[in-house]
Structure formats: structure tokens, C-alpha cells
């Protein structure tokens, strides 16, 4: 493997959700640790599943992986990091400053901006902490899906420049109070990230058009902020030897080869490795050790056939979504499970039934237009673009708050609005604006992968608490975005997953997080099921067999309503193929 040659101290695995970053990062960490290297595996994903992969609890402290000598792991928990950050700032002033001032500081530190800064603070500390750098030969970062990662990697320069210019002393005063002390740490982090002798960026993709295009965009964005030496790993490619007489396998292989042939030019010069599709679930040490080693395909187990109950079609779920003819429908789940595809198919079906539909996304790496590849009456499509929304928010604030300020005041306000915190506020406002439309039409929202969505919901919850506090002693009727999300007559959340161990566990965790926020998921959809597609290839048949336990887990333990979408022979792109997802059959399967 080219990406494993002459490895520097820092390795970053990044890419579109669902391409296998976590599996590759874990397998690489184990391989290096088995060779006697001291390795720290770090997840920067707000919805990390590294602990699930190893079958242990890791959390927000460096934890030895007992089963693997020389390996430790850490999951950066944004909420825990935010609490530590708040305590570090508020603790020293308690009993020193008036209670009202302390309360005001704590209030300023309650939002999503603080969460982002705190997680970022931990991330840069790993790049610069002398003790950690001494204790570990390699630090491997399993990052959040691409859009969130690009944002994280831009932050050292953004915050460093922001502080260098002497900004940040207005509305972000609370969250930024601790940043000034970290100026040297941020400069050192920028130096480490931009040095190819110390840092290697590994783009992970599938042999699919969408993930390769995403990798190309990521390549350009990373190059623009200093990461010019990048490696490419094509993960989970179906070996030609598995095609045989299996029509599904043949279609998948041809589809993958066509995607590779059409690979964006910018990726062609990158050092590239191929990791073949494996027949086993990538959970547990034996599977992870086998991932980077060539091996034979396992035989299909000889146990008694397992029957899947007949399942409802996606069309029947849409019948239940229609309700009063309007409302908010949100697809949520781990990256790469097909949220965008399912959201587009549902929006298309509702529009074809004559309803007005607004299809939108909060995913920074969304591909709605590419997925639809066409237009339909009654259907409008949009995207919450963080850059565009930030500029819109800046202009609105300058036009309102800056209207009566003098030149010095306007200059100070402009500086404050250049803070990276501003983007979080702007995206939340765009989210709130769009979901208000659900009172008159259908709004179908394709959300960002789980971790990023939870941060957005955290901002929604913070706003909800603030509004309720201010309106406590008034008789004015009001509805916050969180109250809309909690209203099951208005909002229906669809959890999208794959019939694999890690996606189902993460989806179950997402459901718990939503329930704690008072949001009840309406249905689960299992996407790209091999069990329902009935392959004959030995490798695909083994993977199909492995799905059965997860499908039964969803049906019997987690979901009130559920549906299964079979793996499609053709990539579900374009109006016709999306309609096939809705109306295609999902027969009972036996293996």
C-alpha cells in the first residue's frame, strides 16, 4: 500500500461519509501498533464510532486499547470538550466577579460556537502538545465527513488570523475569551498541518461517481489551504473474479469500472491504492487485521436459512407521510447510507402526486442536483450553503445593528462578523427559515451526517431555551424551531441506515439523542440491501447473509415503521431510477 510507505507522524483519513474512513484508520492503527509503533488513534467526528469498531468504550480521554499493544485511542467529544472549556473560563471568575457578570459569561458560552471552539482547541492540542508528541510515534485522525473536516482544517488559520488582527471582542466575547491564550498553539498547528514531512492526507473514496467527485473537490479545497501532497484510497471495490454469472455483481462491477474510468483528472496523479470489498463486517480485531491483507473469500455459512418477514415498500411509507398535505420530512443517519437518494426519491414522489415540495439539504457536501439529474413541476431544490448564508447574515446585521453606528463602530462590527462563529449562527438561521415553510408545503430535508446534524440540533436547542427563558413571564404565543421538530404532526424524521453493524448501532444512538431532545423518529429505512437483492456471487452472498441479523434488529428492536430498499443494479440517479426506488418491490428473502 502506497499510503503506508514512509509514514509521517500525523495521518488524516478523510472523505465523503460511508466510504470506510473509520475502518481504514483503525486497520492502519492496528498494523502500525502490531509493528511495535506507539500509535494514538483519534476520532474528530462528533458521531464517532471508533469505540464500536473495537467493541470498547473510549470517550474523551486517551484510552489504551488493551487487546492491541502500543495502541491508544481518543474520541473528541464536542459536548464534553465544551464543558471543560466553559469550566476553564468561568471557574476562575466565580466569586471574583459579580454573579450577574458570571451568569452573562456562562450564557455566552452555551451555544454551538463554544462547542466548535472547544473541539478545535483539543484537536490543535494533539498536533502541538509536547508530551503527546513524545509518547506516540504516529497520531492517526479518523475525521468527520468531508464538509465538517474541511471546516476543522481551515480553523487553525482562521482563528490564528482572527486573533492576529486583534479581533473578536464583541458578540463572541464569551467563547473567544480563552482563544487569545492559545495563539502560539494555533500557529504551531498550522505549521504541522502544512508540512508534508509531518502530515499526510489520505482521501478515501468508493468506486462511485459521487464519492470520486467529492474526493476531487476535497483535493482542491485541501490544496487551497496547504495540503498539496495527498494520497487516494479506493475502498470496497468489487473484484472482477466475483462477477461470474451473477447479473447483479456484473452490473455493480461495470458501474464501478465506469466510475473509475471517468475519475476526475485532478485525482489521476495522486498515489492510489485499491482495497477490495471484503465478505465480512469490519468490526472486531480479526476483521480489521484482515482488511489490509489479501485473502480468500469466505464460504457462505451452512446454518439454516433465515427468513425476513415481508416488508412494506417505500411507497407505503410515503402514503403515511402525506398526512395533511404539508410538513417537514427529514432524512438523518450516518454518512454514506443514502440520505440524499432517499430524500430525493420521496420529494419526487410527493411532487408527482401534485403536492408543492421544497427539497433542500444542510449537508456541506450534498449532491442533490446530481442525484435528481432532472426537474419536475411542483418541486424546488435548494442547498444551505454555509458561505452564502454567512454573507447574507453579515449583510443583514450590518444593515440593522450597523445602521446607526459611526465609522469606528461599523468597523468593529464588521471585524466581529468575520469570526468563524458567524457561520454557525448563519447556518442555524437558514435552517430555521426553511423549516418554517413546512406550514404551507412539504419540506424534505437531506441532513448532514449524524455528528454535524447533532451540532445543528444543539444550536436549535440553545435557541429554544433562550427564547423560552425570555418569554417565561409573557402571554405571547410563540413557536421555536425545536418546538416544530418535536411536533409529530408537523415533522417526521426518517432514520436511514445500512444492514451493517456499525451503521445500525450509530442509527440507534442517533435515535436516543433525538428522543432525549423530544424528537421521535417516525420510521427507519434500510438502504442498499443485498439480502433483498438476492445475489449469487459468493462474496455478495456472504455479505447478504451477514445483513439478516441487522435487518431483524431494526424490525424487532428499534423501528415503529420500516422499509427496505434493495441494492440497485444501476446507480439510483435521475428521475426514472429514483421513482423505481419508491415503487420497486421488496420481496421476502431467504438465504
Amino acid at each position: 500500500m502506497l499510503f503506508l510507505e514512509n509514514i509521517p507522524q500525523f495521518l488524516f483519513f478523510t472523505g465523503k461519509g460511508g466510504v470506510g474512513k473509520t475502518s481504514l484508520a483503525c486497520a492502519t492503527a492496528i498494523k502500525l501498533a502490531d509493528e511495535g509503533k506507539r500509535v494514538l488513534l483519534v476520532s474528530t467526528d462528533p458521531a464517532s464510532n471508533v469505540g464500536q469498531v473495537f467493541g470498547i468504550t473510549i470517550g474523551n480521554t486517551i484510552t489504551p486499547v488493551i487487546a492491541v499493544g502500543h495502541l491508544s485511542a481518543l474520541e473528541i467529544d464536542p459536548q464534553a470538550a465544551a464543558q471543560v472549556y466553559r469550566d476553564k473560563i468561568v471557574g476562575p471568575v466565580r466569586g471574583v466577579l459579580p454573579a450577574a457578570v458570571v451568569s452573562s459569561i456562562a450564557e455566552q458560552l452555551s451555544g454551538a460556537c463554544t462547542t466548535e471552539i472547544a473541539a478545535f482547541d483539543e484537536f490543535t492540542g494533539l498536533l502541538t502538545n509536547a508530551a503527546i508528541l513524545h509518547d506516540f510515534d504516529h497520531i492517526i485522525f479518523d475525521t468527520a465527513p468531508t464538509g465538517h473536516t474541511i471546516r476543522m482544517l481551515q480553523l487553525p488559520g482562521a482563528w490564528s488570523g482572527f486573533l492576529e488582527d486583534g479581533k473578536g471582542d464583541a458578540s463572541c466575547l464569551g467563547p473567544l475569551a480563552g482563544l487569545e491564550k492559545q495563539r502560539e498553539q494555533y500557529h504551531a498547528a498550522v505549521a504541522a498541518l502544512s508540512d508534508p514531512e509531518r502530515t499526510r492526507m489520505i482521501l478515501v473514496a468508493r468506486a462511485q461517481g459521487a464519492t470520486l467527485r467529492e474526493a476531487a473537490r476535497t483535493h482542491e479545497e485541501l490544496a487551497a489551504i496547504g495540503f498539496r501532497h495527498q494520497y487516494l484510497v479506493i475502498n470496497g471495490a468489487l473484484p472482477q473474479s466475483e462477477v461470474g454469472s451473477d447479473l447483479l455483481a456484473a452490473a455493480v462491477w461495470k458501474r464501478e469500472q465506469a466510475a473509475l474510468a471517468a475519475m476526475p483528472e485532478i485525482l489521476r496523479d495522486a498515489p492510489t491504492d485499491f482495497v477490495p470489498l471484503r465478505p465480512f463486517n469490519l468490526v472486531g480485531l480479526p476483521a480489521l487485521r484482515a482488511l489490509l491483507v489479501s485473502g480468500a473469500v469466505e464460504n457462505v455459512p451452512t446454518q439454516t436459512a433465515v427468513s425476513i418477514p415481508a416488508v412494506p415498500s417505500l411507497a407505503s411509507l410515503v402514503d403515511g407521510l402525506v398526512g395533511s398535505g404539508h410538513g417537514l420530512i427529514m432524512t438523518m443517519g450516518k454518512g454514506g447510507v443514502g440520505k440524499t437518494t432517499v430524500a430525493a426519491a420521496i420529494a419526487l414522489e410527493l411532487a408527482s402526486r401534485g403536492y408543492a415540495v421544497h427539497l433542500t439539504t444542510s449537508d456541506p457536501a450534498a449532491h442533490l442536483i446530481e442525484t435528481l439529474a432532472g426537474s419536475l413541476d411542483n418541486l424546488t431544490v435548494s442547498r444551505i450553503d454555509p458561505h452564502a448564508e454567512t454573507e447574507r447574515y453579515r449583510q443583514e446585521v450590518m444593515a440593522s445593528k450597523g445602521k446607526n453606528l459611526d465609522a469606528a463602530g461599523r468597523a468593529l462590527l464588521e471585524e466581529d462578523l468575520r469570526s468563524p462563529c458567524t457561520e454557525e449562527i448563519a447556518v442555524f438561521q437558514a435552517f430555521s427559515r426553511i423549516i418554517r415553510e413546512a406550514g404551507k408545503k412539504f419540506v424534505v430535508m437531506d441532513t448532514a451526517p449524524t455528528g454535524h446534524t447533532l451540532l445543528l440540533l444543539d444550536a436549535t436547542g440553545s435557541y429554544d431555551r433562550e427564547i423560552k427563558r425570555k418569554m417565561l413571564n409573557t402571554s405571547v404565543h410563540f413557536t421555536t424551531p425545536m418546538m416544530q421538530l418535536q411536533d409529530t404532526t408537523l415533522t417526521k424524521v426518517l432514520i436511514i441506515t445500512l444492514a451493517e453493524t456499525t451503521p445500525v448501532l450509530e442509527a440507534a444512538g442517533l435515535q436516543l439523542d433525538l428522543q432525549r431532545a423530544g424528537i421521535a423518529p417516525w420510521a427507519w429505512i434500510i438502504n442498499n440491501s443485498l439480502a433483498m437483492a438476492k445475489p449469487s456471487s459468493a462474496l455478495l452472498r456472504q455479505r447478504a447473509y451477514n445483513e439478516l441479523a441487522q435487518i431483524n434488529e431494526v424490525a424487532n428492536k428499534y423501528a415503529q415503521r420500516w422499509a427496505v430498499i434493495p441494492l440497485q443494479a444501476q446507480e439510483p440517479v435521475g428521475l426514472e431510477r429514483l421513482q423505481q426506488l419508491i415503487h420497486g418491490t421488496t420481496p421476502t428473502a431467504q438465504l
Side-chain angles (χ1 to χ4, degrees), residues 553-575:
E553 189 88 344
V554 170
N556 299 322
K557 184 176 180 180
Y558 296 123
Q560 290 186 333
R561 303 171 188 84
W562 62 291
V564 179
I565 302 173
L567 178 69
Q568 305 294 299
Q570 302 296 324
E571 193 169 359
V573 172
L575 304 184

PDB file of all heavy atoms in Angstrom, residues 553-575:
ATOM      1  N   GLU A 553     -32.860  -6.895  13.717  1.00  0.00           N
ATOM      2  CA  GLU A 553     -32.644  -5.983  14.851  1.00  0.00           C
ATOM      3  C   GLU A 553     -33.451  -4.697  14.666  1.00  0.00           C
ATOM      4  O   GLU A 553     -34.113  -4.217  15.596  1.00  0.00           O
ATOM      5  CB  GLU A 553     -31.144  -5.659  14.963  1.00  0.00           C
ATOM      6  CG  GLU A 553     -30.771  -4.899  16.220  1.00  0.00           C
ATOM      7  CD  GLU A 553     -30.452  -5.785  17.403  1.00  0.00           C
ATOM      8  OE1 GLU A 553     -30.793  -6.981  17.366  1.00  0.00           O
ATOM      9  OE2 GLU A 553     -29.887  -5.273  18.378  1.00  0.00           O
ATOM     10  N   VAL A 554     -33.383  -4.124  13.477  1.00  0.00           N
ATOM     11  CA  VAL A 554     -34.150  -2.904  13.194  1.00  0.00           C
ATOM     12  C   VAL A 554     -35.642  -3.173  13.323  1.00  0.00           C
ATOM     13  O   VAL A 554     -36.378  -2.408  13.970  1.00  0.00           O
ATOM     14  CB  VAL A 554     -33.821  -2.381  11.778  1.00  0.00           C
ATOM     15  CG1 VAL A 554     -34.787  -1.261  11.377  1.00  0.00           C
ATOM     16  CG2 VAL A 554     -32.390  -1.865  11.725  1.00  0.00           C
ATOM     17  N   ALA A 555     -36.115  -4.271  12.706  1.00  0.00           N
ATOM     18  CA  ALA A 555     -37.547  -4.562  12.683  1.00  0.00           C
ATOM     19  C   ALA A 555     -38.109  -4.841  14.073  1.00  0.00           C
ATOM     20  O   ALA A 555     -39.219  -4.404  14.401  1.00  0.00           O
ATOM     21  CB  ALA A 555     -37.812  -5.749  11.761  1.00  0.00           C
ATOM     22  N   ASN A 556     -37.354  -5.542  14.898  1.00  0.00           N
ATOM     23  CA  ASN A 556     -37.887  -6.019  16.175  1.00  0.00           C
ATOM     24  C   ASN A 556     -37.515  -5.167  17.379  1.00  0.00           C
ATOM     25  O   ASN A 556     -38.142  -5.279  18.433  1.00  0.00           O
ATOM     26  CB  ASN A 556     -37.411  -7.456  16.424  1.00  0.00           C
ATOM     27  CG  ASN A 556     -37.901  -8.416  15.353  1.00  0.00           C
ATOM     28  OD1 ASN A 556     -39.029  -8.296  14.882  1.00  0.00           O
ATOM     29  ND2 ASN A 556     -37.048  -9.359  14.963  1.00  0.00           N
ATOM     30  N   LYS A 557     -36.479  -4.320  17.237  1.00  0.00           N
ATOM     31  CA  LYS A 557     -35.991  -3.589  18.412  1.00  0.00           C
ATOM     32  C   LYS A 557     -36.119  -2.074  18.288  1.00  0.00           C
ATOM     33  O   LYS A 557     -36.448  -1.401  19.274  1.00  0.00           O
ATOM     34  CB  LYS A 557     -34.524  -3.972  18.673  1.00  0.00           C
ATOM     35  CG  LYS A 557     -33.919  -3.351  19.911  1.00  0.00           C
ATOM     36  CD  LYS A 557     -32.500  -3.864  20.150  1.00  0.00           C
ATOM     37  CE  LYS A 557     -31.873  -3.267  21.390  1.00  0.00           C
ATOM     38  NZ  LYS A 557     -30.484  -3.762  21.614  1.00  0.00           N
ATOM     39  N   TYR A 558     -35.856  -1.544  17.117  1.00  0.00           N
ATOM     40  CA  TYR A 558     -35.696  -0.088  17.019  1.00  0.00           C
ATOM     41  C   TYR A 558     -36.843   0.659  16.344  1.00  0.00           C
ATOM     42  O   TYR A 558     -37.144   1.793  16.724  1.00  0.00           O
ATOM     43  CB  TYR A 558     -34.402   0.238  16.262  1.00  0.00           C
ATOM     44  CG  TYR A 558     -33.146  -0.216  16.963  1.00  0.00           C
ATOM     45  CD1 TYR A 558     -32.256  -1.072  16.340  1.00  0.00           C
ATOM     46  CD2 TYR A 558     -32.862   0.205  18.250  1.00  0.00           C
ATOM     47  CE1 TYR A 558     -31.099  -1.503  16.977  1.00  0.00           C
ATOM     48  CE2 TYR A 558     -31.717  -0.212  18.902  1.00  0.00           C
ATOM     49  CZ  TYR A 558     -30.829  -1.069  18.259  1.00  0.00           C
ATOM     50  OH  TYR A 558     -29.695  -1.483  18.902  1.00  0.00           O
ATOM     51  N   ALA A 559     -37.471   0.077  15.323  1.00  0.00           N
ATOM     52  CA  ALA A 559     -38.338   0.862  14.454  1.00  0.00           C
ATOM     53  C   ALA A 559     -39.817   0.593  14.687  1.00  0.00           C
ATOM     54  O   ALA A 559     -40.239  -0.557  14.820  1.00  0.00           O
ATOM     55  CB  ALA A 559     -37.996   0.569  12.989  1.00  0.00           C
ATOM     56  N   GLN A 560     -40.604   1.666  14.729  1.00  0.00           N
ATOM     57  CA  GLN A 560     -42.059   1.518  14.726  1.00  0.00           C
ATOM     58  C   GLN A 560     -42.545   1.206  13.308  1.00  0.00           C
ATOM     59  O   GLN A 560     -43.457   0.413  13.117  1.00  0.00           O
ATOM     60  CB  GLN A 560     -42.724   2.806  15.230  1.00  0.00           C
ATOM     61  CG  GLN A 560     -42.525   3.071  16.707  1.00  0.00           C
ATOM     62  CD  GLN A 560     -43.320   4.273  17.177  1.00  0.00           C
ATOM     63  OE1 GLN A 560     -43.611   5.189  16.407  1.00  0.00           O
ATOM     64  NE2 GLN A 560     -43.697   4.273  18.450  1.00  0.00           N
ATOM     65  N   ARG A 561     -41.942   1.872  12.342  1.00  0.00           N
ATOM     66  CA  ARG A 561     -42.229   1.629  10.932  1.00  0.00           C
ATOM     67  C   ARG A 561     -40.891   1.427  10.234  1.00  0.00           C
ATOM     68  O   ARG A 561     -39.902   2.036  10.617  1.00  0.00           O
ATOM     69  CB  ARG A 561     -42.953   2.821  10.287  1.00  0.00           C
ATOM     70  CG  ARG A 561     -44.242   3.227  10.953  1.00  0.00           C
ATOM     71  CD  ARG A 561     -44.757   4.541  10.368  1.00  0.00           C
ATOM     72  NE  ARG A 561     -45.891   5.052  11.111  1.00  0.00           N
ATOM     73  CZ  ARG A 561     -45.806   5.778  12.208  1.00  0.00           C
ATOM     74  NH1 ARG A 561     -44.603   6.078  12.704  1.00  0.00           N
ATOM     75  NH2 ARG A 561     -46.889   6.202  12.825  1.00  0.00           N
ATOM     76  N   TRP A 562     -40.873   0.627   9.183  1.00  0.00           N
ATOM     77  CA  TRP A 562     -39.610   0.421   8.490  1.00  0.00           C
ATOM     78  C   TRP A 562     -39.859  -0.072   7.083  1.00  0.00           C
ATOM     79  O   TRP A 562     -40.939  -0.571   6.745  1.00  0.00           O
ATOM     80  CB  TRP A 562     -38.722  -0.545   9.261  1.00  0.00           C
ATOM     81  CG  TRP A 562     -39.278  -1.933   9.434  1.00  0.00           C
ATOM     82  CD1 TRP A 562     -40.348  -2.296  10.202  1.00  0.00           C
ATOM     83  CD2 TRP A 562     -38.788  -3.120   8.832  1.00  0.00           C
ATOM     84  NE1 TRP A 562     -40.555  -3.645  10.119  1.00  0.00           N
ATOM     85  CE2 TRP A 562     -39.609  -4.185   9.291  1.00  0.00           C
ATOM     86  CE3 TRP A 562     -37.733  -3.403   7.977  1.00  0.00           C
ATOM     87  CZ2 TRP A 562     -39.412  -5.504   8.896  1.00  0.00           C
ATOM     88  CZ3 TRP A 562     -37.526  -4.728   7.593  1.00  0.00           C
ATOM     89  CH2 TRP A 562     -38.358  -5.754   8.046  1.00  0.00           C
ATOM     90  N   ALA A 563     -38.849   0.093   6.270  1.00  0.00           N
ATOM     91  CA  ALA A 563     -38.880  -0.389   4.893  1.00  0.00           C
ATOM     92  C   ALA A 563     -37.459  -0.749   4.493  1.00  0.00           C
ATOM     93  O   ALA A 563     -36.492  -0.286   5.112  1.00  0.00           O
ATOM     94  CB  ALA A 563     -39.456   0.668   3.954  1.00  0.00           C
ATOM     95  N   VAL A 564     -37.333  -1.582   3.478  1.00  0.00           N
ATOM     96  CA  VAL A 564     -36.021  -1.995   2.972  1.00  0.00           C
ATOM     97  C   VAL A 564     -35.960  -1.692   1.489  1.00  0.00           C
ATOM     98  O   VAL A 564     -36.899  -1.991   0.740  1.00  0.00           O
ATOM     99  CB  VAL A 564     -35.770  -3.499   3.206  1.00  0.00           C
ATOM    100  CG1 VAL A 564     -34.412  -3.897   2.641  1.00  0.00           C
ATOM    101  CG2 VAL A 564     -35.848  -3.833   4.680  1.00  0.00           C
ATOM    102  N   ILE A 565     -34.862  -1.084   1.062  1.00  0.00           N
ATOM    103  CA  ILE A 565     -34.625  -0.808  -0.356  1.00  0.00           C
ATOM    104  C   ILE A 565     -33.524  -1.738  -0.840  1.00  0.00           C
ATOM    105  O   ILE A 565     -32.403  -1.709  -0.307  1.00  0.00           O
ATOM    106  CB  ILE A 565     -34.205   0.655  -0.578  1.00  0.00           C
ATOM    107  CG1 ILE A 565     -35.266   1.618  -0.042  1.00  0.00           C
ATOM    108  CG2 ILE A 565     -33.945   0.926  -2.062  1.00  0.00           C
ATOM    109  CD1 ILE A 565     -34.838   3.074  -0.074  1.00  0.00           C
ATOM    110  N   PRO A 566     -33.780  -2.592  -1.829  1.00  0.00           N
ATOM    111  CA  PRO A 566     -32.731  -3.497  -2.318  1.00  0.00           C
ATOM    112  C   PRO A 566     -31.595  -2.726  -2.988  1.00  0.00           C
ATOM    113  O   PRO A 566     -31.802  -1.613  -3.497  1.00  0.00           O
ATOM    114  CB  PRO A 566     -33.459  -4.375  -3.345  1.00  0.00           C
ATOM    115  CG  PRO A 566     -34.921  -4.143  -3.118  1.00  0.00           C
ATOM    116  CD  PRO A 566     -35.051  -2.776  -2.544  1.00  0.00           C
ATOM    117  N   LEU A 567     -30.410  -3.301  -2.991  1.00  0.00           N
ATOM    118  CA  LEU A 567     -29.306  -2.744  -3.762  1.00  0.00           C
ATOM    119  C   LEU A 567     -29.715  -2.720  -5.228  1.00  0.00           C
ATOM    120  O   LEU A 567     -30.226  -3.703  -5.755  1.00  0.00           O
ATOM    121  CB  LEU A 567     -28.045  -3.590  -3.590  1.00  0.00           C
ATOM    122  CG  LEU A 567     -26.823  -3.132  -4.399  1.00  0.00           C
ATOM    123  CD1 LEU A 567     -26.299  -1.804  -3.866  1.00  0.00           C
ATOM    124  CD2 LEU A 567     -25.729  -4.195  -4.362  1.00  0.00           C
ATOM    125  N   GLN A 568     -29.501  -1.574  -5.885  1.00  0.00           N
ATOM    126  CA  GLN A 568     -29.914  -1.413  -7.273  1.00  0.00           C
ATOM    127  C   GLN A 568     -28.794  -1.801  -8.225  1.00  0.00           C
ATOM    128  O   GLN A 568     -27.616  -1.510  -7.974  1.00  0.00           O
ATOM    129  CB  GLN A 568     -30.314   0.046  -7.527  1.00  0.00           C
ATOM    130  CG  GLN A 568     -31.379   0.571  -6.581  1.00  0.00           C
ATOM    131  CD  GLN A 568     -32.712  -0.114  -6.757  1.00  0.00           C
ATOM    132  OE1 GLN A 568     -33.318  -0.058  -7.821  1.00  0.00           O
ATOM    133  NE2 GLN A 568     -33.186  -0.779  -5.698  1.00  0.00           N
ATOM    134  N   ALA A 569     -29.166  -2.443  -9.319  1.00  0.00           N
ATOM    135  CA  ALA A 569     -28.175  -2.798 -10.337  1.00  0.00           C
ATOM    136  C   ALA A 569     -27.576  -1.544 -10.965  1.00  0.00           C
ATOM    137  O   ALA A 569     -26.396  -1.499 -11.303  1.00  0.00           O
ATOM    138  CB  ALA A 569     -28.797  -3.680 -11.411  1.00  0.00           C
ATOM    139  N   GLN A 570     -28.396  -0.499 -11.122  1.00  0.00           N
ATOM    140  CA  GLN A 570     -27.945   0.774 -11.664  1.00  0.00           C
ATOM    141  C   GLN A 570     -27.965   1.823 -10.556  1.00  0.00           C
ATOM    142  O   GLN A 570     -28.858   1.816  -9.707  1.00  0.00           O
ATOM    143  CB  GLN A 570     -28.840   1.233 -12.829  1.00  0.00           C
ATOM    144  CG  GLN A 570     -28.924   0.236 -13.979  1.00  0.00           C
ATOM    145  CD  GLN A 570     -27.584   0.018 -14.653  1.00  0.00           C
ATOM    146  OE1 GLN A 570     -26.792   0.950 -14.787  1.00  0.00           O
ATOM    147  NE2 GLN A 570     -27.327  -1.206 -15.078  1.00  0.00           N
ATOM    148  N   GLU A 571     -26.987   2.710 -10.567  1.00  0.00           N
ATOM    149  CA  GLU A 571     -26.938   3.754  -9.550  1.00  0.00           C
ATOM    150  C   GLU A 571     -28.212   4.587  -9.595  1.00  0.00           C
ATOM    151  O   GLU A 571     -28.622   5.037 -10.669  1.00  0.00           O
ATOM    152  CB  GLU A 571     -25.711   4.654  -9.783  1.00  0.00           C
ATOM    153  CG  GLU A 571     -25.403   5.561  -8.613  1.00  0.00           C
ATOM    154  CD  GLU A 571     -24.050   6.253  -8.741  1.00  0.00           C
ATOM    155  OE1 GLU A 571     -23.344   6.005  -9.737  1.00  0.00           O
ATOM    156  OE2 GLU A 571     -23.710   7.023  -7.837  1.00  0.00           O
ATOM    157  N   PRO A 572     -28.887   4.783  -8.458  1.00  0.00           N
ATOM    158  CA  PRO A 572     -30.178   5.491  -8.458  1.00  0.00           C
ATOM    159  C   PRO A 572     -30.028   6.996  -8.639  1.00  0.00           C
ATOM    160  O   PRO A 572     -30.211   7.789  -7.703  1.00  0.00           O
ATOM    161  CB  PRO A 572     -30.763   5.137  -7.086  1.00  0.00           C
ATOM    162  CG  PRO A 572     -29.573   4.880  -6.224  1.00  0.00           C
ATOM    163  CD  PRO A 572     -28.537   4.265  -7.124  1.00  0.00           C
ATOM    164  N   VAL A 573     -29.698   7.373  -9.855  1.00  0.00           N
ATOM    165  CA  VAL A 573     -29.539   8.781 -10.214  1.00  0.00           C
ATOM    166  C   VAL A 573     -30.501   9.087 -11.359  1.00  0.00           C
ATOM    167  O   VAL A 573     -30.600   8.314 -12.314  1.00  0.00           O
ATOM    168  CB  VAL A 573     -28.088   9.080 -10.648  1.00  0.00           C
ATOM    169  CG1 VAL A 573     -27.977  10.496 -11.202  1.00  0.00           C
ATOM    170  CG2 VAL A 573     -27.128   8.888  -9.474  1.00  0.00           C
ATOM    171  N   GLY A 574     -31.206  10.200 -11.276  1.00  0.00           N
ATOM    172  CA  GLY A 574     -32.153  10.572 -12.316  1.00  0.00           C
ATOM    173  C   GLY A 574     -33.578  10.253 -11.898  1.00  0.00           C
ATOM    174  O   GLY A 574     -33.826   9.396 -11.041  1.00  0.00           O
ATOM    175  N   LEU A 575     -34.540  10.951 -12.507  1.00  0.00           N
ATOM    176  CA  LEU A 575     -35.935  10.858 -12.101  1.00  0.00           C
ATOM    177  C   LEU A 575     -36.485   9.438 -12.215  1.00  0.00           C
ATOM    178  O   LEU A 575     -37.162   8.941 -11.314  1.00  0.00           O
ATOM    179  CB  LEU A 575     -36.784  11.827 -12.944  1.00  0.00           C
ATOM    180  CG  LEU A 575     -36.359  13.301 -12.912  1.00  0.00           C
ATOM    181  CD1 LEU A 575     -37.344  14.153 -13.702  1.00  0.00           C
ATOM    182  CD2 LEU A 575     -36.269  13.810 -11.477  1.00  0.00           C
TER     183      LEU A 575
END
